[in-house]
Amino acid sequence: MSAGIEAALRAAEERYAEANPRSAERISTAAGSMPGGNTRTGLHYSPFPVTFVGGQGQHLTDLDGHVYTDLLGEYSAGLYGHSHPAIIGAARKALDEGMAFGGPNTYDVEFADLLSARFPSVDLLRFTNSGTEANLMAIATAREVTGRGSVLVFQGGYHGSVLSFRGAAPLNVPYPLVVGSFNDVAGTVALLEQHGADLAAVVVEPVIGGGGVIPGTPEFLHALRDTTSRLGILLVFDEVMTSRLGPSGIQGRTGITPELTTFGKYLGGGFTFGAFGGARGIMERYDPGHPTTLGHPGTFNNNTITMAAGAAGLREVFTPEEAVALNERGDGLRDALNDVFADVGVAMQATGLGSLVGIHFQRGPIERPEQVRPADDERALLHLELIARGYYIARRGYLALSIALTPADLRGFVAAVRDVVAEHAALLRD
Ligand code: PLP
């Protein structure tokens, strides 16, 4: 760590602690009942995270009364903003009708119809309660229908709490794994050929999210499709984040049809959500009338709040036109950030696609997660300095735009980034 960055970070941490006494107090009392005061590891950052008490539109309010413009968008689950009337109205209506029916309802079928109409790979689907669960189910399904045991994943990929391929992950499900390098066409094809007879599935984020917001190249994604088809391996697109990147996600953008797709995040309207779906010949195994039916109970799979809010979101708000417009705004933001970095002359760049953006502290192309410079102190400095200026992003430099953000919000954010980067330019040049 350079002494200059360290000193700047310590000063930013002191200012932050002074500005957020009630969040600091809350984290220490929360530690009495939750380990480290935390129940969601990704929300931890030093010296302590701010605690939120409210959200309206594109704004968040914390316990100490600060109001932020929210560029994090709940790690992509907050696409609709914090109080969209169509979402709130649908959820409220479902609440008013009563809950926990213990039987089918009318919202689940509507939501399932909307999803399968939107995503070309999905003939049939099943709801879960999280993206983690959706991926666990997709992998278990692939293992069952192929009769093979192993799964190919990519270094730096993230498919859920127990399916993490970023650093040590002792809690991962103990499936036999083959680990490839994202965007490495020749290396991945060679691995597939070598292990093909044992591989049930390839699971891939078509744009690696948590691993740095790095788009898969069309050549890479097509090579996965072609080779898995040739070798009888199921291709699973984890579109938990990327389904927002076009009217029909990355499968729509690339024309690639995976056998199975997993979903999560914003599609539940901001409520707990996951789904896995795909080809009829695979998913029909979940038909309770099928002679070799597969079980997939799950108390809250069709909870009415998520089903109603998710259906309203797709039907009324995140239309195909809105998907295009939001992603154009994201492309514009990424370009504007890269202009700032070039202009000020710092070794930084914004990566990603459409409404998902990653900020990195290095020059040169980033094609795979292994190439991402950790730059923990630089990331922490940027994060705290933006918080001090009223903008909320993830500590790791990740942004997911919501539809509530206005062009003026995005211009304000770019100006704040310019201000921070210019102030610390001497520390960020190399
Ligand atoms: N897959 C991807 C690509 C994700 O980004 C995430 C969450 O960040 C998951 C799966 C897991 O989803 P959940 O947190 O809903 O379990």
Side-chain angles (χ1 to χ4, degrees), residues 304-326:
T304 48
I305 315 297
T306 301
M307 300 293 114
L314 276 188
R315 190 181 58 235
E316 296 168 36
V317 190
F318 198 52
T319 57
E321 298 72 35
E322 183 57 47
V324 170
L326 176 67

Side-chain angles (χ1 to χ4, degrees), residues 156-158 166 205 208-214 360 368-370 372 396:
Y158 181 80
R166 305 172 53 202
E205 294 166 82
I208 285 250
V213 200
I214 306 168
H360 299 286
R368 54 198 66 143
E370 305 91 289
V372 172
R396 62 175 184 250

Side-chain angles (χ1 to χ4, degrees), residues 40 74-77 128-135 157-163 166 204-211 238-242 262-265 272-274 396 398:
R40 181 175 166 194
E74 177 55 310
Y75 291 84
S76 88
T128 63
N129 293 278
S130 67
T132 301
E133 206 187 326
N135 281 311
Y158 181 80
H159 305 289
S161 309
V162 290
L163 291 165
R166 305 172 53 202
V204 65
E205 294 166 82
V207 175
I208 285 250
D238 176 343
E239 294 233 45
V240 166
M241 279 201 200
T242 62
T262 57
F263 301 101
K265 305 280 191 189
T272 180
F273 169 76
R396 62 175 184 250
Y398 165 94

Side-chain angles (χ1 to χ4, degrees), residues 108-118 125 127:
D108 52 8
V109 59
E110 184 195 1
F111 192 20
D113 282 351
L114 284 161
L115 285 164
S116 65
R118 192 63 85 88
L125 68 90
F127 293 112

